[in-house]
């Protein structure tokens, strides 16, 4: 174990990933403390989603290492399923299990992965659905829910595993504008409750108000990182400033 | 009319014909179960098996789809005795038609599995489910539902193919019909018409039943891409 | 347990049987094609008076075993004073059967041709029949090729059924050779290989044909 890693919940070190000729990640490193919310921003196609997937190895990194509480995630010997059970993942397009009602979507993980008893898992699933404001929607199938509701179910599904951290991959990008707010609200509440999170997003308002630190990525590398106040008001790198002015033009500043 | 008199005469044989048709239904059940189990396995190997396994599964599928049912029946009926094993015609027919059906069913299941968006598997894996567990709890429950219409076609085709087991001396309905004809040749037309009617009932009642099953297990939002039908 | 013993002098006989298999398949497919197109047109464009009988025909032949249909033609028709040769019986039964299946494929293909095509043809002053012949069918035939190819290969395999009315096709010839020397297993392994090669050759040529007649932008929506 190396210096400064003892207290980090997650340590990401020198991650590389290449798809054919294109190198999407060119050595990305950062660490995450318990209870911290880190927001990753940057232009599309700069490897932000790939980076998230490398953390729980939904995508296998070519090089580099990841530690979760001192356990090397990227080790060949580790049981990756046990690691993934501790890391929540929220997808851009929800990926709720189509054939399962909301309640079953949330309790599938606890029952099949954690081996929880059915009645216990049911109770837990109801609680988590209530936590994201969906009490009463237990029996609805994904196709019967709005996009915002589906994304909240998927957050509940992640929460039910009692994860050490949750990775959010552009959780509001697939949503109609009027549905974005309800999902962000849930995420803001989670941050307040002390959940550890990494969020890839274009929602600058959310980033500014919730993030402990913002990472600006471009072309597979971290260009700049720092607390939101500093990054937004006095970016050190010209590319950061350029990106921020463009993105505010495009998206405005919701949740300012 | 004379033909109706003949039909009446065949009517006397109806109980025996129906009893013989039970053999067809038993064979149907056996071959569908064999075809379902092996077909599922072959489809899974084709989709999730590495290169070697998926190629092997595809060759299996191709061979059993390309050899006529009658040739398979003969191979399974006479093959074992060639190696000194005794095989009964019912078992031989079940295996021959079951393996053949597994090749067709694997194609149906493979299509259904491949129609499931890749995000489903990814979400299951992200929860920490193993690949096998994800297949069992997420992929297959969806794939089987999507496969019902295709499976219904397969049912229609194999229910009729059970008559081919006549060739390996199984005492099913066609063989019994033929003995009626051999005894009284002027009943041939009426007898085979009755057999045809029996199969019309089997085919269409089976399809209706599978239609009910499909509606019973239908889930909003779960359908083959390109299929029509309301989402809600 | 014995080794694999096949008298290779039987090969010419099997080749002869293969020829009959090809003949019967070709004849029944051609017959089924013509009847199938008519049935499909009857289903789509015929009024109720034509459409319903066509539908009954299709349901009957799709809902009953081919073997039963063959026996109705070969053993049944003589009851009504119609005596056909085994060859003709085989071709007729297989043809009547495949016509019902082909009709359904053609119907699907005709209905897959966009509505605007008929309207555009009529707006040029074409009669309905002209429009069907020179606008709808040429497109429908191209759309139908994949399922029609499947049907052709299916009939090639099902044609083996004619052995049961004593025709010496590939299957029948195999049965006869085997009955004479009791090497059922060996003979039918060779027969199976014959069919494998036949199916492979046919499916490859059909794939080639499909590429030959492809028209850009014309595919079957929602069909594989």
């Amino acid at each position: 174990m190396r210096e400064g890693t003892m207290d980090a919940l997650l340590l990401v070190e020198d991650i590389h990933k290449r798809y054919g000729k294109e190198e999407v990640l060119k050595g990305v490193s950062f660490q995450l403390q318990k209870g911290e919310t880190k927001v990753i921003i940057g232009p599309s196609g700069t490897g932000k989603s790939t980076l998230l997937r490398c953390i729980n190895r939904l995508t296998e990194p070519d090089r580099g290492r990841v530690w979760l509480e001192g356990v090397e995630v990227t080790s060949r010997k580790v049981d990756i399923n046990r690691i993934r059970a501790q890391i929540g993942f929220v997808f851009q397009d929800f990926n709720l299990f189509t054939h399962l009602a909301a309640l079953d979507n949330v309790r599938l993980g606890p029952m099949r992965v954690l081996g929880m008893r059915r009645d216990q898992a049911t109770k837990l699933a109801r609680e988590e659905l209530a936590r994201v404001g969906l009490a009463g929607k237990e029996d609805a199938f994904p196709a019967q829910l709005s996009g915002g509701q589906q994304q909240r179910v998927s957050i509940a599904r992640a929460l039910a595993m009692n994860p050490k951290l949750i990775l959010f991959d552009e959780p509001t990008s697939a949503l109609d504008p009027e549905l974005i707010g309800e999902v962000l609200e849930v995420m803001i509440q989670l941050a307040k409750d002390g959940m550890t999170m990494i969020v890839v997003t274009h929602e600058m308002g959310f980033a500014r108000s919730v993030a402990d630190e913002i990472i600006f990525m471009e072309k597979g590398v971290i260009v700049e990182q720092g607390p939101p106040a500093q990054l937004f008001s006095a970016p050190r790198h010209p590319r950061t400033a350029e990106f921020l002015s463009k993105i505010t033009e495009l998206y405005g500043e919701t949740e300012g | 009319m004379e033909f109706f008199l003949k039909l009446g005469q065949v009517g006397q044989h109806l109980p025996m014909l129906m009893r013989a048709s039970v053999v067809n239904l038993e064979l149907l059940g056996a071959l569908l179960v064999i075809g379902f189990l092996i077909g599922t396995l072959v489809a899974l190997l084709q989709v999730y098996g590495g290169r070697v396994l998926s190629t092997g599964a595809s060759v299996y599928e191709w061979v059993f789809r390309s050899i006529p049912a009658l040739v398979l029946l003969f191979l399974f009926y006479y093959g074992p005795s060639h190696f000194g094993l005794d095989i009964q015609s019912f078992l031989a027919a079940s295996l021959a038609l079951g393996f053949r059906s597994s090749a067709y069913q694997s194609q149906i299941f493979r299509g259904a599995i491949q129609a499931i968006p890749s995000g489903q598997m990814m979400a299951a894996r992200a929860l920490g489910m193993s690949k096998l567990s994800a297949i069992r709890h997420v992929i297959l429950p969806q794939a089987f539902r999507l496969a019902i219409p295709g499976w219904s076609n397969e049912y229609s085709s194999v229910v009729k193919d059970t008559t081919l087991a006549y060739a390996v001396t199984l005492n099913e309905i066609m063989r019994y019909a033929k003995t009626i004809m051999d005894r009284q040749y002027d009943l041939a037309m009426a007898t085979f018409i009755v057999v045809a009617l029996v199969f019309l009932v089997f085919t269409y009642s089976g399809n209706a039943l599978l239609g009910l099953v499909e509606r019973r297990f239908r889930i909003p939002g779960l359908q083959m891409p390109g299929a029509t039908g309301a989402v809600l | 347990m014995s080794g694999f013993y096949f008298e290779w002098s039987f090969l010419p006989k099997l080749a002869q049987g293969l020829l009959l298999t090809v003949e019967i398949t070709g004849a029944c497919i051609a017959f089924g094609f013509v009847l199938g197109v008519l049935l499909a047109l009857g289903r789509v464009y015929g009024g109720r008076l034509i459409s319903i009988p066509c539908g009954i025909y299709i349901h009957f032949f799709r809902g009953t075993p081919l073997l039963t249909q063959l026996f109705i033609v070969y053993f049944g028709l003589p009851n009504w004073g119609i005596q056909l040769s085994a060859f003709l019986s085989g071709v007729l039964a297989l043809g009547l059967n495949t016509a019902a299946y082909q009709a359904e494929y053609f119907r699907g293909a005709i209905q897959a041709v966009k509505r605007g095509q008929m309207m555009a043809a009529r707006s040029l002053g074409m009669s309905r029949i002209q429009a069907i012949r020179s606008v709808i069918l040429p497109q429908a035939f191209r759309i139908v090729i994949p399922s029609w190819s499947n049907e052709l290969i299916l009939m090639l395999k099902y044609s083996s059924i004619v052995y049961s009315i004593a025709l010496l096709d590939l299957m029948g010839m195999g049965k006869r050779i085997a009955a004479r020397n009791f090497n059922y297993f060996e003979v039918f392994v060779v027969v199976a290989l014959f069919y494998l090669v036949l199916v492979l050759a046919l499916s490859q040529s059909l794939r080639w044909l499909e590429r030959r007649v492809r028209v850009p932008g014309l595919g079957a929506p929602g069909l594989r």
Side-chain angles (χ1 to χ4, degrees):
Chain A
M1 203 152 307
R2 42 210 69 200
E3 218 180 308
T5 63
M6 285 304 285
D7 52 339
L9 177 77
L10 184 79
L11 183 69
V12 173
E13 192 185 80
D14 198 29
I15 294 291
H16 288 256
K17 181 67 192 180
R18 172 188 290 281
Y19 286 117
K21 272 190 187 150
E22 199 191 353
E23 191 167 26
V24 247
L25 294 175
K26 301 169 185 165
V28 176
S29 310
F30 65 87
Q31 40 178 293
L32 184 73
Q33 308 301 319
K34 193 170 185 315
E36 189 185 353
T37 297
K38 215 182 268 299
V39 170
I40 304 178
I41 60 172
S44 325
T46 47
K48 300 176 310 261
S49 297
T50 308
L51 176 63
L52 279 198
R53 285 175 193 187
C54 281
I55 290 173
N56 69 352
R57 284 171 59 192
L58 283 178
T59 295
E60 208 63 64
D62 296 335
R63 193 139 65 81
R65 293 197 269 188
V66 177
W67 281 270
L68 178 69
E69 288 189 330
V71 176
E72 192 190 336
V73 175
T74 39
S75 158
R76 293 283 142 208
K77 279 172 261 168
V78 83
D79 176 1
I80 189 61
N81 293 328
R82 286 190 55 182
I83 300 285
R84 287 184 185 147
Q86 303 169 50
I87 304 178
F89 201 105
V90 174
F91 296 88
Q92 181 177 343
D93 37 13
F94 334 134
N95 290 339
L96 287 182
F97 302 126
T98 321
H99 65 304
L100 298 178
L103 185 77
D104 289 313
N105 258 285
V106 179
R107 72 182 172 182
L108 184 73
M111 282 168 63
R112 298 298 167 196
V113 179
L114 306 179
M116 199 179 279
R117 284 203 339 256
R118 191 183 186 82
D119 52 342
Q120 243 179 318
T122 306
K123 184 165 167 281
L124 173 68
R126 285 185 187 283
E127 283 166 12
E128 298 299 357
L129 280 174
R131 186 165 165 193
V132 298
L134 288 175
K137 291 290 182 188
E138 287 84 358
D139 297 326
F141 286 106
Q144 295 167 323
L145 296 169
S146 74
Q149 291 171 326
Q150 289 191 57
Q151 194 57 296
R152 285 187 282 151
V153 174
S154 101
I155 294 173
R157 177 171 70 178
L159 286 172
M161 298 294 286
N162 191 22
K164 296 202 165 101
L165 78 156
I166 303 183
L167 311 175
F168 291 84
D169 185 7
E170 303 202 25
T172 56
S173 295
L175 296 177
D176 291 338
E178 73 271 18
L179 301 175
I180 291 176
E182 60 188 70
V183 173
L184 289 181
E185 254 171 61
V186 169
M187 292 169 61
I188 292 167
Q189 189 57 49
L190 281 181
K192 279 187 191 151
D193 294 347
M195 174 57 74
T196 314
M197 329 200 284
I198 301 178
V199 184
V200 171
T201 187
H202 293 298
E203 296 296 327
M204 291 307 131
F206 173 82
R208 178 174 281 194
S209 60
V210 181
D212 297 299
E213 187 180 59
I214 294 181
I215 290 179
F216 172 60
M217 262 181 81
E218 192 177 46
K219 291 179 181 146
V221 293
I222 294 180
V223 176
E224 181 169 354
Q225 65 191 101
Q230 181 219 312
L231 215 86
F232 277 97
S233 52
R236 264 172 292 177
H237 203 286
R239 287 295 302 135
T240 317
E242 210 176 306
F243 172 77
L244 284 175
S245 75
K246 244 191 220 161
I247 199 89
T248 4
E249 231 172 80
L250 268 172
Y251 288 82
E253 285 221 11
T254 49
E255 303 285 320
Chain B
M1 217 178 89
E2 201 195 333
F3 179 65
F4 290 100
L5 283 174
K6 300 269 167 66
L7 273 182
Q9 278 178 272
V10 176
Q12 299 170 351
H13 295 279
L14 200 57
M16 281 306 288
L17 272 174
M18 293 316 290
R19 199 173 298 172
S21 80
V22 171
V23 177
N24 292 75
L25 293 181
E26 286 168 353
L27 176 58
L28 175 68
L31 83 89
L32 281 176
V33 169
I34 294 171
F36 178 84
L37 295 176
I38 300 179
T40 304
L41 181 71
V42 169
L44 288 174
L45 288 178
Q46 282 175 327
V47 180
Y48 299 110
R51 239 174 107 165
V52 177
L53 287 176
S54 78
T55 308
S58 296
V59 170
Y60 169 91
E61 183 194 311
W62 181 75
V63 167
F64 277 96
R65 281 163 55 88
S66 299
I67 300 176
L70 282 167
V71 178
L72 287 174
L73 282 164
F74 273 49
L75 282 174
F76 277 81
Y77 187 60
Y78 293 109
S81 64
H82 177 79
F83 297 103
L85 293 168
D86 217 19
I87 193 165
Q88 287 183 336
S89 57
F90 183 83
L91 183 60
S94 303
L95 292 175
L97 297 180
F99 285 142
R100 174 167 169 270
S101 180
S102 76
Y104 286 96
Q105 290 191 44
S106 76
Q107 201 190 25
I108 296 165
F109 294 142
R110 182 175 39 137
I113 291 170
Q114 286 170 338
I116 299 169
S118 60
Q120 295 288 309
M121 176 56 104
M122 218 192 310
R125 297 308 302 275
L127 283 177
M129 294 173 89
S130 67
K131 202 163 180 171
L132 269 179
S133 175
I135 288 171
R136 191 174 137 206
H137 298 291
V138 175
I139 302 298
L140 285 184
Q142 298 188 39
F144 287 144
R145 286 180 168 89
L146 294 177
I148 295 176
W151 206 82
S152 187
N153 282 340
E154 173 63 7
Y155 165 85
S156 307
S157 126
V158 293
V159 66
K160 293 171 285 168
D161 287 345
T162 58
T163 54
L164 300 178
Y166 144 96
V168 292
T169 72
L170 187 69
N171 286 317
E172 49 72 67
I173 190 167
M174 279 302 281
R175 182 158 282 270
Y176 191 76
K178 192 125 185 302
T179 62
I180 296 176
M181 176 189 92
D182 288 342
R183 249 179 284 161
Q184 207 178 336
Y185 187 70
D186 62 329
L187 289 186
M189 186 55 128
T191 309
F192 292 126
I193 292 280
V194 168
V195 173
L197 292 177
V198 168
F199 274 95
L200 278 180
V201 172
F202 286 171
T203 304
Y204 290 109
S205 57
N207 279 332
L209 192 70
L210 285 166
L212 279 179
V213 171
E214 193 197 352
R215 275 193 293 284
R216 165 74 183 73
F217 288 100
R218 181 173 295 165
I219 285 170
L222 183 63
Q223 58 189 13
M224 287 298 256
T228 47
V231 169
L232 286 182
Chain C
M1 170 85 205
S2 51
F4 190 87
Y5 179 78
F6 180 77
E7 258 178 69
W8 299 103
S9 57
F10 285 128
L11 276 188
K13 286 272 166 209
L14 283 181
Q16 204 182 314
L18 181 131
L19 196 64
L20 186 59
T21 291
V22 172
E23 280 172 18
I24 288 178
T25 308
C28 80
I29 278 287
F31 175 65
F33 179 85
V34 175
L35 185 53
V37 170
L38 292 176
L39 285 165
L41 291 175
R43 283 287 270 169
V44 180
Y45 298 112
R48 282 176 65 168
L49 218 63
I50 299 175
S51 171
I52 290 176
C54 290
I56 291 175
Y57 175 96
I58 291 169
H59 276 90
F60 178 83
F61 279 93
R62 282 164 54 98
T64 58
L66 181 55
L67 187 65
T68 316
Q69 293 162 17
L70 179 66
F71 281 13
I72 287 175
V73 171
Y74 186 68
F75 296 117
L77 283 183
N79 283 180
W80 293 353
I82 305 168
Q83 191 112 34
L84 300 173
S85 71
F87 179 81
L88 267 183
S89 299
V91 170
L92 183 63
L94 287 161
L96 291 171
N97 179 275
T98 182
Y101 285 90
Q102 291 189 44
E104 284 294 273
Y105 296 134
F106 291 135
R107 184 171 67 105
I110 290 170
Q111 287 168 341
V113 176
K114 293 192 194 72
R115 273 181 171 272
Q117 298 288 311
M118 176 60 108
M119 259 191 286
R122 297 304 296 275
S123 76
L124 288 177
M126 287 189 192
S127 72
R128 210 170 147 85
I129 290 181
Q130 267 178 321
I132 291 171
R133 206 178 60 192
S134 46
V135 176
I136 306 297
L137 282 185
Q139 298 188 45
F141 285 151
R142 285 185 173 85
I143 293 173
V144 89
I145 289 178
S147 24
W148 191 81
S149 303
N150 277 340
E151 177 64 14
L152 176 48
I153 291 169
L154 212 65
M155 286 323 282
L156 175 71
K157 291 177 281 170
Y158 272 120
S159 70
S160 57
I161 208 166
V162 298
Y163 101 93
S164 62
I165 54 171
L167 278 175
L168 294 178
D169 70 323
L170 192 46
M171 175 83 193
M173 198 60 94
K175 181 94 196 289
R176 177 195 251 192
I177 293 169
R180 210 174 284 171
N181 67 7
F182 292 104
N183 285 330
Y184 278 92
F185 181 68
E186 285 92 338
V187 171
F188 278 98
V189 166
V190 174
V191 168
L193 288 174
F194 265 78
Y195 275 108
L196 283 176
V197 172
L198 211 50
V199 167
L200 188 65
L202 189 57
S203 56
Q204 290 303 320
S205 2
L206 285 167
R207 209 172 288 175
W208 176 81
L209 174 76
E210 194 180 335
R211 274 198 303 271
R212 260 312 283 282
V213 301
R214 183 174 297 160
V215 175
L218 186 62
L223 295 174
R224 268 175 302 142

